[in-house]
Amino acid sequence: MKMSAWIDEFDLRTDDDYLNIVMQTASWLADHEHHTEEGIFWDVIADKTNSQDAVLTSEVSLYGGNAGISLFFLRLYETTGDKDHLNRAIDGIRYAYRHIRESDYRDSAAGTLKGIAGGLYNGPAGVGFVSYLIYKLTGNEESREIAQIITDKIISSSASDEDGICWSGAYGILSDGGLILYLIWLFEQTGNSEYLELAEKAGRRIANKAETVTDGRLSDKGVRWYAMDSEAFGLGPKGYFPGFFYGTAGTGYIMAKLYQHTKDERFLNLAKGAAAYITSIAEVTEDSRAALVRYNDPYKPDLYYLGVCQGPAGTSRLFYLLYRLTDDITYKEWVIRLTEGIINTGAPKIHSKGYWHTYNYCCGAAGMAEHFLAIYALTGEERYREQARTSVETLIGDSVEDDGKRCWYSAWNRHAPDEVKAWSGLYVGSAGAASAILAFYNMAHDIRSLAGYIEDPFEK
């Protein structure tokens, strides 16, 4: 009897298989990289030209461009020790730095997307972040100099008024809030108090914009921020996003980070107020084990994102940081409750309106995989490790492999489900999916030193 090849094909994967799959993605990215005298750049979308003005997917960006892909290769170097990966990271950052325009240090997006163009994920700060990571991990002096030049220009590009400092005036992590996190992170790495002082000044301005919820659902301790124009997303005026990247959870997280280092109780109270607002609009199961939070208040009470950007994988970060800062077990319970909310939907295997066919770190299964790994580390419960494995297996099943090269085709934009493309980047595409698989492999081999995402408190 002839043995069928498909039996081996569908055997349960070993941990080493996961690293091989990540290496296949590295090979796919190598097919879409371009070597110049200024360094390496990668296609943002496979085999397509890209505009430097593209929001979140500019060529230099942390979200979809060079900075993020360089971080992926830095993580791969940490895992394997292969200096080819490190050299790619260095060359990618070198190219990104040389292609930052002076206008990129200022918010150039109009109206509804205010703050994103010059923020952490689309602007120079993302390049500075990865560049300093390279220096921190390798001692590469050129990378330190790049980070320093970028940071100095970011600081000099800020504007001052009686409330503090700002860049665009927008509050969320996608905009000015991300720059605050960058400055706090630099303070944590360097001990330079100037960075914390500037972050605090910018944070006070955002603190002054907090709005007390007055519709009867909460005490006066509940607060929220109008962190992103709801009309930019086809909704009505003054709709509040509770989530992480452009909502109250992320803005509250910034307040908590500032409290962590300044011990100013006002920041802590605002972070707690943000958590109180979010729990007040959460939909909780009868047994109180699981919860989800609507995408927008009040316009989308029946739409629940599940990923990092606006879902539990991101929103829970506020609650986890509050748990770390206060030792209040209630916040840890909400981390678990929100995580169980993801699981109760059947994600990542089952898709829904808030978890469409996107396989990336921002809003898809890659972000879920790294989140479940974090919750496994937090609780020690094996079921969360298995949820991470399920997420990784789902990612692999939805990938495309050809001749030893692997990528993901994704409908990143929920409002354009017919636009299916092979994105390359860390938060938006194949680099992020492979990075999540790499995180699972590292956990299995007890490799703890992966370079982290700047907005992820679970990394430590």
Coordinates of all heavy atoms in Angstrom, one line a residue, residues 183-225:
L183 N 8.5 59.4 24.0 CA 9.3 60.2 25.0 C 9.4 59.5 26.3 O 10.5 59.4 26.9 CB 8.7 61.6 25.2 CG 8.8 62.5 24.0 CD1 8.1 63.8 24.2 CD2 10.3 62.8 23.6
I184 N 8.3 58.9 26.8 CA 8.4 58.1 28.1 C 9.3 56.9 27.9 O 10.2 56.6 28.8 CB 7.0 57.7 28.5 CG1 6.1 58.9 28.9 CG2 7.1 56.7 29.7 CD1 4.7 58.5 29.2
W185 N 9.2 56.2 26.8 CA 10.1 55.1 26.5 C 11.5 55.5 26.5 O 12.4 54.8 27.0 CB 9.6 54.4 25.2 CG 10.4 53.2 24.8 CD1 10.2 51.9 25.3 CD2 11.6 53.1 24.0 NE1 11.2 51.1 24.8 CE2 12.0 51.8 23.9 CE3 12.3 54.1 23.2 CZ2 13.1 51.3 23.2 CZ3 13.3 53.6 22.4 CH2 13.7 52.3 22.4
L186 N 11.8 56.6 25.8 CA 13.2 57.1 25.8 C 13.7 57.4 27.2 O 14.9 57.1 27.6 CB 13.3 58.3 24.9 CG 13.3 58.1 23.4 CD1 13.3 59.4 22.7 CD2 14.6 57.3 23.0
F187 N 12.8 58.0 28.0 CA 13.2 58.2 29.4 C 13.5 56.9 30.1 O 14.5 56.8 30.9 CB 12.1 59.0 30.2 CG 12.2 58.9 31.7 CD1 13.2 59.7 32.3 CD2 11.4 58.1 32.4 CE1 13.4 59.7 33.7 CE2 11.6 58.1 33.8 CZ 12.5 58.9 34.4
E188 N 12.7 55.9 29.9 CA 13.0 54.6 30.5 C 14.3 54.0 30.1 O 15.0 53.3 30.8 CB 11.8 53.6 30.2 CG 10.5 54.0 30.8 CD 9.3 53.2 30.3 OE1 9.4 52.6 29.2 OE2 8.3 53.2 31.0
Q189 N 14.7 54.2 28.8 CA 15.9 53.6 28.3 C 17.1 54.4 28.7 O 18.2 53.8 28.9 CB 15.8 53.6 26.8 CG 14.6 52.9 26.2 CD 14.4 51.5 26.8 OE1 15.3 50.7 26.8 NE2 13.2 51.3 27.2
T190 N 17.0 55.7 28.8 CA 18.2 56.6 29.0 C 18.3 57.2 30.3 O 19.4 57.7 30.7 CB 18.2 57.7 27.9 OG1 17.1 58.6 28.2 CG2 18.0 57.2 26.5
G191 N 17.2 57.4 31.0 CA 17.2 58.1 32.3 C 17.2 59.6 32.2 O 17.3 60.3 33.2
N192 N 17.1 60.1 30.9 CA 17.2 61.5 30.7 C 15.8 62.2 31.1 O 14.8 61.9 30.4 CB 17.5 61.8 29.2 CG 17.7 63.2 28.8 OD1 17.2 64.1 29.6 ND2 18.3 63.5 27.7
S193 N 15.8 62.9 32.1 CA 14.6 63.5 32.7 C 13.9 64.5 31.7 O 12.7 64.7 31.9 CB 14.9 64.1 34.0 OG 15.8 65.2 33.9
E194 N 14.7 65.0 30.8 CA 14.1 66.0 29.9 C 13.0 65.3 29.1 O 11.9 66.0 28.8 CB 15.1 66.5 28.9 CG 14.6 67.5 27.8 CD 15.6 67.8 26.7 OE1 16.7 67.2 26.7 OE2 15.2 68.6 25.9
Y195 N 13.1 64.1 28.7 CA 12.1 63.4 28.0 C 10.8 63.2 28.8 O 9.7 63.4 28.3 CB 12.6 62.0 27.5 CG 13.8 62.1 26.5 CD1 14.9 61.2 26.7 CD2 13.8 63.1 25.5 CE1 16.0 61.3 25.8 CE2 14.9 63.1 24.7 CZ 16.0 62.3 24.8 OH 17.1 62.3 24.0
L196 N 11.0 62.9 30.0 CA 9.8 62.7 30.9 C 9.1 64.1 31.1 O 7.9 64.1 31.1 CB 10.2 62.1 32.2 CG 9.0 61.9 33.2 CD1 8.0 60.9 32.6 CD2 9.6 61.3 34.5
E197 N 9.9 65.1 31.3 CA 9.3 66.5 31.5 C 8.5 66.9 30.3 O 7.4 67.4 30.5 CB 10.4 67.5 31.8 CG 11.1 67.3 33.2 CD 12.4 68.0 33.3 OE1 12.7 68.8 32.4 OE2 13.1 67.9 34.3
L198 N 9.0 66.6 29.1 CA 8.3 67.0 27.9 C 7.0 66.2 27.8 O 6.0 66.7 27.4 CB 9.2 66.9 26.7 CG 10.3 67.9 26.6 CD1 11.3 67.4 25.5 CD2 9.8 69.2 26.2
A199 N 7.2 64.9 28.0 CA 6.0 64.0 28.0 C 4.9 64.4 29.0 O 3.7 64.4 28.7 CB 6.4 62.5 28.3
E200 N 5.3 64.9 30.2 CA 4.4 65.3 31.2 C 3.7 66.6 30.7 O 2.5 66.7 30.9 CB 5.1 65.6 32.5 CG 4.2 65.9 33.6 CD 4.9 66.1 34.9 OE1 6.2 65.9 35.0 OE2 4.3 66.4 36.0
K201 N 4.4 67.5 30.1 CA 3.8 68.7 29.6 C 2.7 68.4 28.5 O 1.7 69.0 28.5 CB 4.9 69.7 29.0 CG 5.7 70.3 30.1 CD 6.8 71.2 29.5 CE 7.7 71.9 30.5 NZ 8.7 72.7 29.9
A202 N 3.1 67.5 27.6 CA 2.1 67.1 26.6 C 1.0 66.4 27.2 O -0.2 66.5 26.8 CB 2.8 66.3 25.5
G203 N 1.2 65.6 28.2 CA 0.2 64.8 28.8 C -0.8 65.7 29.6 O -2.0 65.4 29.6
R204 N -0.3 66.8 30.2 CA -1.2 67.7 30.9 C -2.2 68.3 30.0 O -3.3 68.6 30.3 CB -0.4 68.7 31.7 CG 0.4 68.1 32.8 CD 1.0 69.2 33.8 NE 1.8 68.6 34.8 CZ 1.3 67.9 35.8 NH1 0.0 67.8 36.0 NH2 2.2 67.4 36.7
R205 N -1.7 68.6 28.8 CA -2.6 69.2 27.8 C -3.7 68.2 27.5 O -4.9 68.6 27.4 CB -1.8 69.6 26.5 CG -2.6 70.5 25.6 CD -1.8 70.8 24.4 NE -2.4 71.9 23.6 CZ -3.4 71.7 22.8 NH1 -3.9 70.5 22.6 NH2 -4.0 72.8 22.2
I206 N -3.4 67.0 27.3 CA -4.4 66.0 27.0 C -5.3 65.7 28.2 O -6.5 65.6 28.1 CB -3.8 64.7 26.5 CG1 -3.1 64.9 25.2 CG2 -4.8 63.5 26.4 CD1 -2.3 63.7 24.7
A207 N -4.7 65.7 29.4 CA -5.5 65.6 30.6 C -6.6 66.7 30.7 O -7.7 66.4 31.2 CB -4.6 65.6 31.8
N208 N -6.3 67.8 30.3 CA -7.2 69.0 30.4 C -8.4 68.8 29.4 O -9.4 69.5 29.5 CB -6.5 70.3 30.1 CG -5.6 70.7 31.2 OD1 -5.7 70.2 32.3 ND2 -4.6 71.5 30.8
K209 N -8.3 67.9 28.4 CA -9.3 67.7 27.5 C -10.3 66.5 27.8 O -11.2 66.2 27.1 CB -8.7 67.4 26.1 CG -7.7 68.4 25.6 CD -8.4 69.8 25.4 CE -7.4 70.8 24.9 NZ -8.0 72.2 24.8
A210 N -10.0 65.9 29.0 CA -10.9 64.8 29.4 C -12.3 65.3 29.7 O -12.5 66.4 30.2 CB -10.3 64.2 30.7
E211 N -13.3 64.5 29.3 CA -14.7 64.9 29.5 C -15.4 64.0 30.4 O -15.3 62.7 30.3 CB -15.4 64.8 28.1 CG -14.8 65.7 27.0 CD -15.6 65.6 25.7 OE1 -16.7 65.1 25.7 OE2 -15.0 65.9 24.7
T212 N -16.0 64.5 31.4 CA -16.7 63.7 32.4 C -18.0 63.2 31.8 O -18.7 64.0 31.1 CB -17.1 64.6 33.6 OG1 -15.9 65.1 34.2 CG2 -17.9 63.8 34.7
V213 N -18.3 61.9 32.0 CA -19.5 61.4 31.4 C -20.7 61.8 32.3 O -20.7 61.6 33.5 CB -19.4 59.8 31.4 CG1 -20.7 59.2 30.8 CG2 -18.2 59.4 30.5
T214 N -21.7 62.4 31.7 CA -22.8 63.0 32.5 C -24.2 62.4 32.1 O -25.2 63.1 32.4 CB -22.8 64.5 32.3 OG1 -22.9 64.8 30.9 CG2 -21.5 65.1 32.8
D215 N -24.2 61.3 31.5 CA -25.5 60.8 31.1 C -26.2 59.9 32.1 O -27.1 59.1 31.8 CB -25.4 60.1 29.7 CG -24.5 58.9 29.8 OD1 -24.0 58.6 30.8 OD2 -24.3 58.3 28.7
G216 N -25.7 59.8 33.3 CA -26.3 59.0 34.3 C -25.7 57.6 34.5 O -26.1 56.9 35.5
R217 N -24.9 57.2 33.6 CA -24.3 55.8 33.7 C -23.2 55.7 34.7 O -22.9 54.7 35.2 CB -23.8 55.4 32.4 CG -24.9 55.1 31.3 CD -24.2 54.8 30.0 NE -23.4 55.9 29.5 CZ -22.9 55.9 28.3 NH1 -22.9 54.8 27.6 NH2 -22.2 56.9 27.9
L218 N -22.6 56.9 35.0 CA -21.4 56.8 35.9 C -21.4 57.9 36.9 O -22.1 58.9 36.9 CB -20.1 57.1 35.0 CG -19.8 56.0 34.0 CD1 -18.6 56.5 33.1 CD2 -19.3 54.7 34.7
S219 N -20.5 57.7 37.9 CA -20.2 58.8 38.8 C -19.4 59.8 38.1 O -19.0 59.6 36.9 CB -19.5 58.2 40.0 OG -18.2 57.9 39.7
D220 N -19.0 60.9 38.8 CA -18.2 61.9 38.1 C -16.8 61.5 37.9 O -16.0 62.3 37.4 CB -18.3 63.2 38.9 CG -17.8 63.1 40.3 OD1 -17.3 62.0 40.7 OD2 -17.9 64.1 41.0
K221 N -16.4 60.2 38.3 CA -15.1 59.8 38.1 C -14.9 59.1 36.7 O -13.8 58.8 36.3 CB -14.7 58.8 39.2 CG -14.6 59.4 40.5 CD -14.2 58.4 41.6 CE -14.1 59.0 43.0 NZ -13.7 58.0 44.0
G222 N -16.0 58.9 36.0 CA -15.9 58.3 34.6 C -15.5 59.4 33.6 O -16.2 60.4 33.5
V223 N -14.5 59.2 32.8 CA -14.1 60.2 31.8 C -13.8 59.5 30.5 O -13.6 58.3 30.4 CB -12.8 60.9 32.3 CG1 -13.0 61.7 33.6 CG2 -11.6 60.0 32.4
R224 N -13.9 60.3 29.4 CA -13.6 59.8 28.1 C -13.0 61.0 27.3 O -13.0 62.2 27.7 CB -14.8 59.3 27.4 CG -15.9 60.3 27.2 CD -17.2 59.7 26.8 NE -18.3 60.7 26.7 CZ -19.6 60.4 26.4 NH1 -19.9 59.1 26.3 NH2 -20.5 61.3 26.3
W225 N -12.4 60.7 26.2 CA -11.8 61.7 25.3 C -12.3 61.5 23.9 O -12.6 60.4 23.5 CB -10.3 61.5 25.2 CG -9.5 62.0 26.4 CD1 -8.9 63.2 26.6 CD2 -9.2 61.3 27.6 NE1 -8.3 63.3 27.8 CE2 -8.4 62.1 28.4 CE3 -9.4 60.0 28.0 CZ2 -7.9 61.7 29.7 CZ3 -9.0 59.6 29.3 CH2 -8.2 60.4 30.1

